């Protein structure tokens, strides 16, 4: 029985959202693949995304970024977290290598923890990375912004991250994704997204709505962004929001109360409100759902995501004040009135599955 160890960044839900369609497709083709998920993401979230049994290994093998909200990076705190993580870099890699060996993994997939890639190399186990970003370039971007790019310690950390990514047999760079000129083994593949069951009538029936009432999903991503919806004006749309917001007013329903998969609700909605994150953008585009979004402003992956959405989906930017005050209804209606482009196909799923089959040396 081949065993695959999948390491996931715990920075929001996007890394797991990118990976689950690929791993599920792999196991649909080869049901004998045993799975371990190495991450500190919540078990219940993983169980809802990954089909079939898996071993849960709560550990971090990267840093990500320290977030003040779903759209704001705490730069100083992030750099401090990297310094702490890399203080004993060899020890970190030893921990990752020991985890690979204890798991008896035949291959490693990382989205996109770099210490696990270096650990797999140290353990003699083949590994690939897959993501729309890499932490080497994200770290370098924010270090430069903080005026720390030329510090010797920062240069050392950046070199350690970059070397770890180069230890992978390949880096599957998802479309859309940031350019990765420093990773010679980067190979661009198509989008990765789930396709949902589009049933607008069924969704409205669950919500008790008339056929002419638009349903708009608020999808802030895995990092909390609680909006002050109690002060929003009455709208013609009905909003689906996270249950954790605790909203109790007409016109709002908690997503979890619907008893439907996230992607089915998204595919059946008339629009989505979110931020430029790979999972929300790719799933909105591939399911043909219009989206309004608020820029993060300085997230280095953002230009690639926004540029791709402009060509492949009905999308529009709104300001932070418009989001905070719920003043985006007219823009959403404008998008809904536009001709819908042909949704891009999530071809990256099959491309990544083929790469993993080669890595596991099975067909």
């Amino acid at each position: 029985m081949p065993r695959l160890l999948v390491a996931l960044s715990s920075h929001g839900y996007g890394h797991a959202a990118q990976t689950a369609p690929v791993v599920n497709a792999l196991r649909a083709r080869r049901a004998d693949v045993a799975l371990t998920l190495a991450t500190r993401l919540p078990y219940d979230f993983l169980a809802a995304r990954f089909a079939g049994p898996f071993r849960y290994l709560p550990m971090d093998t990267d840093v990500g970024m320290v977030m003040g909200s779903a759209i704001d990076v705490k730069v100083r705190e992030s750099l401090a977290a990297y310094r702490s993580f890399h203080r004993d870099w060899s020890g970190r890699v030893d921990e990752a290598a020991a985890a690979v060996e204890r798991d008896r993994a035949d291959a490693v997939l990382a989205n996109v923890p770099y210490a696990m890639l270096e650990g797999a190399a140290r353990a003699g186990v083949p590994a690939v990375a897959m993501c729309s970003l890499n932490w080497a370039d994200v770290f370098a971007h924010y270090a430069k912004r903080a005026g720390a790019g030329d510090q010797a310690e920062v240069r050392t950390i950046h070199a350690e991250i970059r070397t770890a990514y180069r230890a992978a047999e390949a880096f599957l760079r998802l479309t859309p994704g940031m350019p990765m000129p420093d990773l010679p083994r980067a190979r661009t593949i198509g989008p990765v997204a789930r396709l949902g069951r589009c049933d607008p009538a069924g969704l409205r029936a669950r919500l008790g709505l008339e056929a002419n009432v638009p349903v708009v999903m608020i999808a802030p991503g895995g990092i909390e962004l609680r909006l002050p919806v109690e002060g929003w004006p009455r709208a013609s749309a009905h909003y689906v929001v996270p249950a954790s917001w605790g909203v109790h007013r007409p016109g709002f329903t908690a997503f979890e109360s619907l008893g439907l998969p996230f992607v089915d609700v998204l595919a059946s909605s008339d629009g989505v409100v979110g931020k430029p994150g790979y999972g929300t953008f790719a799933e909105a585009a591939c399911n043909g759902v219009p989206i309004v979004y608020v820029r993060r402003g300085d997230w280095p992956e953002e230009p690639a995501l926004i540029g791709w959405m402009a060509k492949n989906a009905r999308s529009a930017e709104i300001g932070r004040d418009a989001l905070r005050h719920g003043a985006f209804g007219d823009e959403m209606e404008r998008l809904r009135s536009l001709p819908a482009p042909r949704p891009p196909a999530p071809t990256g799923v099959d491309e990544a599955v083929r790469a993993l089959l080669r890595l596991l040396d099975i067909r």
Side-chain angles (χ1 to χ4, degrees):
M1 175 183 291
R3 176 170 287 280
L4 176 67
L5 188 154
V6 176
L8 299 169
S9 289
S10 304
H11 180 268
Y13 290 160
H15 299 274
Q18 288 179 354
T19 308
V22 171
V23 172
N24 291 343
L26 170 69
R27 298 178 90 189
R29 189 177 299 186
R30 286 297 304 258
D32 60 333
V33 173
L35 176 64
T36 295
L37 298 179
T39 181
R40 291 198 185 276
L41 290 172
Y43 178 90
D44 289 345
F45 168 77
L46 297 170
R49 287 275 184 164
F50 288 86
F54 60 85
R55 176 176 176 246
Y56 181 52
L57 182 59
M59 67 181 300
D60 286 321
T61 50
D62 67 359
V63 179
M65 300 300 289
V66 179
M67 305 298 295
S69 71
I71 54 180
D72 295 306
V73 175
K74 292 185 174 181
V75 178
R76 184 181 303 173
E77 292 86 343
S78 295
L79 298 184
Y82 273 91
R83 291 186 177 100
S84 176
F85 188 82
H86 283 260
R87 193 161 291 127
D88 180 16
W89 172 241
S90 183
R92 292 281 185 187
V93 175
D94 283 341
E95 289 176 5
V100 173
E101 291 171 345
R102 285 194 302 268
D103 194 62
R104 297 182 180 178
D106 296 294
V108 169
L109 170 65
N111 189 331
V112 69
Y114 49 89
M116 187 63 82
L117 292 168
E118 187 86 3
R122 189 167 292 184
V125 174
V128 296
M130 181 185 75
C131 196
S132 54
L133 60 80
N134 70 79
W135 294 125
D137 291 342
V138 174
F139 171 78
H141 170 83
Y142 284 106
K144 181 178 180 181
R145 177 187 156 187
D150 292 331
Q151 294 179 5
E153 183 183 23
V154 167
R155 292 199 304 270
T156 297
I157 292 171
H158 181 249
E160 287 171 347
I161 302 171
R162 186 177 56 193
T163 299
Y165 282 131
R166 289 178 174 178
E169 296 198 2
F171 193 118
L172 305 179
R173 173 186 170 272
L174 302 184
T175 299
M178 59 193 296
M180 303 183 188
D182 285 343
L183 301 181
R185 294 180 179 176
R187 177 164 66 88
T188 300
I189 64 174
V192 167
R194 299 175 300 169
L195 298 179
R197 180 173 179 265
C198 181
D199 182 15
L203 179 58
R204 285 184 177 81
R206 284 177 181 259
L207 293 168
L209 302 176
E210 299 293 332
N212 63 340
V213 178
V215 177
V216 175
M217 191 174 196
I218 311 294
I223 299 170
E224 191 60 66
L225 178 66
R226 209 302 188 172
L227 298 173
V229 299
E230 289 77 10
W232 286 9
R234 286 182 63 98
S236 59
H238 189 95
Y239 296 107
V240 177
V241 300
S244 62
W245 288 12
V247 179
H248 302 287
R249 62 167 288 189
F252 291 79
T253 296
F255 155 71
E256 290 83 349
S257 71
L258 295 172
L260 293 171
F262 176 93
V263 71
D264 289 354
V265 177
L266 181 148
S268 302
S269 295
D270 297 285
V272 181
V273 180
K275 69 178 191 300
Y278 188 95
T280 303
F281 266 31
E283 289 188 346
C286 292
N287 285 280
V289 180
I291 183 170
V292 298
Y293 60 86
V294 173
R295 281 182 184 262
R296 302 185 191 191
D298 63 351
W299 187 250
E301 180 193 21
E302 191 169 70
L305 297 176
I306 291 174
W308 183 80
M309 288 296 284
K311 297 176 182 177
N312 291 279
R314 291 169 290 171
S315 64
E317 179 185 352
I318 59 174
R320 292 195 180 195
D321 284 344
L323 178 65
R324 190 175 299 111
H325 299 297
F328 49 78
D330 290 345
E331 189 65 0
M332 182 65 78
E333 285 301 310
R334 183 188 70 82
L335 289 181
R336 291 181 59 215
S337 70
L338 297 176
R342 183 177 180 178
T347 56
V349 174
D350 188 61
E351 292 175 274
V353 167
R354 291 200 301 268
L356 289 175
L357 289 172
R358 287 193 294 270
L359 198 69
L360 291 163
D361 197 28
I362 58 178
R363 299 292 183 267

